[in-house]
Amino acid sequence: MIKRIVKMEFETKYIEEFQRLFDNNKTKIRNFEGCQHLELWQDINDNSTFMTYSYWRSENDLNTYRQSDLFKTVWSKTKTMFAKKPQAWSVNTLHQLN
């Protein structure tokens, strides 16, 4: 399993629009083949900064999602709202303490 973190910084005027877009598509994204977990985070000191945090069964599943019509539709709308270029990381957990 891999974990994917995507940091997005939005123009202030688009914050609510992005939240609606995410809300309208979160179930479809979470139910996409290979997606095992999905969260949306908002920075506590900068309300225009968001991150998605997701678990994917494999990098292949993530890449399949990134090539899907769902991703292309959501991402094409999302990227028009950015204030800065997004950043993304795909990571493996090396240690986890509960």
Side-chain angles (χ1 to χ4, degrees):
M1 174 178 30
I2 64 168
K3 295 177 182 173
R4 180 79 167 174
I5 302 165
V6 180
K7 178 183 177 187
M8 301 167 286
E9 297 177 62
F10 292 94
E11 291 185 32
T12 305
K13 65 184 179 181
Y14 294 123
I15 292 171
E16 289 181 20
E17 184 177 345
F18 167 70
Q19 289 177 299
R20 279 192 302 274
L21 179 64
F22 184 84
D23 195 48
N24 290 337
N25 289 283
K26 64 187 178 189
T27 303
K28 293 178 212 166
I29 297 167
R30 172 55 188 89
N31 290 330
F32 197 89
E33 179 71 27
C35 183
Q36 300 176 326
H37 181 86
L38 177 64
E39 295 181 28
L40 177 65
W41 302 339
Q42 185 177 32
D43 188 291
I44 62 172
N45 295 310
D46 178 3
N47 69 346
S48 65
T49 298
F50 292 81
M51 293 184 192
T52 56
Y53 178 65
S54 54
Y55 299 175
W56 292 87
R57 190 176 46 214
S58 69
E59 188 173 16
N60 186 57
D61 287 324
L62 172 60
N63 289 334
T64 298
Y65 166 67
R66 293 182 69 216
Q67 295 169 6
S68 72
D69 289 338
L70 173 60
F71 176 82
K72 289 174 186 175
T73 299
V74 172
W75 193 248
S76 67
K77 293 175 185 172
T78 303
K79 67 183 180 182
T80 65
M81 301 181 230
F82 290 144
K84 295 182 181 177
K85 183 179 177 181
Q87 296 177 286
W89 301 267
S90 293
V91 300
N92 289 312
T93 299
L94 297 181
H95 299 277
Q96 180 173 328
L97 304 173
N98 292 320

